[in-house]
Amino acid sequence: MRVGVILERKPGERRVAAVPATIETMAGWGWQTVVEPGAGAAAGITDEAFAEAGAELSSDAISADLVLQVGPPAVEVIDEMVDGATVTGFLDPFVDRAILARLVDKSMTALAVEAIPRTTLAQSMDALSSQANLAGYAAVLLGSASMPRILPMMVTAAGTIPPSKALILGVGVAGLQAIATAKRLGAAVHAYDIRTETQEQVESLGARFISAPTAEADEGGYAREVEQDTQRRQHEALAPYVADADLIVTTAQIPGRPAPLLVTAEMVASMRPGAVIVDMAAGTGGNVEGSVPDETVTVGGVHIHGPTNLAAGVPADASRLYARNLISLLERARSDDGGFSLDLEDEIMGGTTVVHNGEVRHPRSLALWEAGP
Ligand code: NAD
């Protein structure tokens, strides 16, 4: 069983799918690991550190039986993998039909971390959560670094600086960490999410929950798309808090749908010059009107960041957690003889295997597949 760990090809991606500790774990399972030279460099992990942990360093890591990657990969990267191989990592399996098509053409098997069930049992494998948590932290630091103000209150001989006002919209995994980080840095924090149960979570972190429309989550724990009237009432309730904020971090997402619009251009125009918005949903349509993926735009003196890969900005810790997520997942598929065997009847492995030997099998991937190009 040869397991390859590749150097990520996407510009700006600094994470890696294995760290020395997880190489050692796989060696203990009898798996032979091959790491592409330089794969860990941007995350601060040298080739020597991988070699000491027991990995072979070779540029043909991508032709292994099982490829560990961060991703999502360009189709050309999948082309480099061998037919019939298994690939794991972010694969955008519910949105990117071109990736599915390549996996099918090459009779491959794909374990997509986006498809790992969000259950208590699978918590240690939940890469969406481990990376969103770090991204929420990084979003506050990004925003704070581009503000003309500090976050905490400061009483000095030269006068008192009042705390900055931070507003966090969307309180899932990333939003909770953004609240906690902004609170730790001393900001006065307000937050809002459409899901009813988030009020208690916001208040338990010492932030204030904004009174705006809430609704029950769907059976998967996710928010549903809202009607136009609800959206209008959200905008009305949020407007005064937006106008008064020094820093806004938006994280609202609806899986498989465009992100909800929470901050309109009119609301941006009401903000003070120098205020900063970090729209973490910029890559899926944006929560903020006018945000641009991976760019910073300035409108009326308000800086709007649209980062799409904040976890890559803290690559050492992001890789450490992500590599651990993959190990927890793969442990369920290792066999005692040093092999790899997928039990598709298993709730976690069956749910995560979006393509098996070239056959698309996850219901959401299947819907995308059958919709055609
Ligand atoms: P996400 O990234 O899909 O969305 C971020 C937040 O945006 C969510 O809290 C959502 O309610 C909110 N949102 C969506 N539409 C909105 C709107 N119109 N207005 C305001 N807010 C809006 O969410 P996530 O961080 O992946 O978490 C989703 C759910 O999964 C949560 O219930 C979370 O607690 C749950 N979860 C469970 C586990 C587990 O049990 N192992 C692990 C992780 C997450």
Side-chain angles (χ1 to χ4, degrees):
M1 176 74 188
R2 265 169 76 87
V3 183
V5 178
I6 62 167
L7 168 64
E8 296 297 316
R9 276 44 170 184
K10 199 164 70 186
E13 183 52 80
R14 299 166 67 203
R15 294 169 292 176
V16 58
V19 296
T22 62
I23 295 286
E24 280 172 16
T25 303
M26 288 185 276
W29 295 347
W31 290 8
Q32 186 194 350
T33 51
V34 191
V35 175
E36 192 167 346
I45 307 168
T46 59
D47 290 347
E48 292 71 31
F50 276 126
E52 269 170 36
E56 174 193 332
L57 272 292
S58 167
S59 57
D60 78 350
I62 199 153
S63 30
D65 308 312
L66 168 64
V67 177
L68 311 190
Q69 51 101 51
V70 178
V75 286
E76 293 75 22
V77 179
I78 299 175
D79 283 342
E80 289 180 59
M81 299 174 197
V82 294
D83 290 3
T86 298
V87 58
T88 188
F90 286 95
L91 292 162
D92 217 358
F94 311 136
V95 180
D96 195 332
R97 196 178 182 279
I99 292 183
L100 285 180
R102 229 17 152 252
L103 294 166
V104 168
D105 284 350
K106 290 171 69 73
S107 304
M108 289 179 67
T109 293
L111 306 179
V113 296
E114 296 96 328
I116 294 171
R118 308 294 285 278
T119 58
T120 308
L121 187 62
Q123 233 162 13
S124 63
M125 309 162 200
D126 188 346
L128 281 177
S129 289
S130 75
Q131 305 303 295
N133 177 43
L134 292 170
Y137 164 89
V140 172
L141 293 200
L142 169 69
S144 160
S146 54
M147 279 166 66
R149 301 201 48 201
I150 62 167
L151 291 184
M153 184 173 103
M154 244 184 229
V155 181
T156 81
T160 298
I161 301 172
S164 285
K165 291 173 184 158
L167 174 62
I168 313 298
L169 300 178
V171 188
V173 179
L176 283 171
Q177 185 56 250
I179 294 172
T181 304
K183 283 293 294 178
R184 279 198 294 269
L185 290 172
V189 184
H190 278 89
Y192 165 69
D193 192 291
I194 187 90
R195 284 184 297 116
T196 314
E197 65 264 34
T198 56
Q199 174 161 2
E200 202 185 312
Q201 298 165 1
V202 165
E203 288 168 353
S204 75
L205 287 171
R208 297 218 178 100
F209 192 78
I210 295 174
S211 175
T214 55
E216 294 302 324
D218 68 12
E219 45 300 331
Y222 288 107
R224 300 167 205 269
E225 212 162 11
V226 302
E227 305 282 332
Q228 253 185 350
D229 179 56
T230 309
Q231 191 180 57
R232 187 185 48 74
R233 287 189 292 122
Q234 281 185 319
H235 292 170
E236 273 171 21
L238 294 176
Y241 294 92
V242 170
D244 202 29
D246 297 297
L247 170 64
I248 301 180
V249 176
T250 68
T251 77
Q253 301 273 8
I254 299 161
R257 303 288 309 147
L261 179 69
L262 295 175
V263 180
T264 62
E266 195 184 336
M267 288 155 88
V268 173
S270 74
M271 295 175 75
R272 285 186 287 277
V276 172
I277 305 178
V278 181
D279 183 358
M280 290 181 64
T284 50
N287 296 143
V288 180
E289 198 170 351
S291 70
V292 178
D294 288 322
E295 282 186 29
T296 301
V297 292
T298 304
V299 185
V302 176
H303 306 295
I304 309 173
H305 299 283
T308 61
N309 192 1
L310 281 165
V314 284
D317 288 322
S319 301
R320 185 208 312 260
L321 298 187
Y322 180 71
R324 189 67 231 165
N325 290 143
L326 291 189
I327 282 295
S328 298
L329 177 72
L330 295 172
E331 188 163 23
R332 285 182 94 77
R334 78 180 183 92
S335 47
D336 288 338
D337 61 359
F340 177 84
S341 102
L342 267 179
D343 174 8
L344 296 177
E345 298 299 313
D346 176 68
E347 188 203 345
I348 295 174
M349 298 318 286
T352 306
T353 308
V354 292
V355 180
H356 186 239
N357 295 334
E359 208 170 301
V360 182
R361 54 185 306 285
H362 190 289
R364 285 177 62 198
S365 298
L366 209 49
L368 173 69
W369 181 244
E370 285 169 353

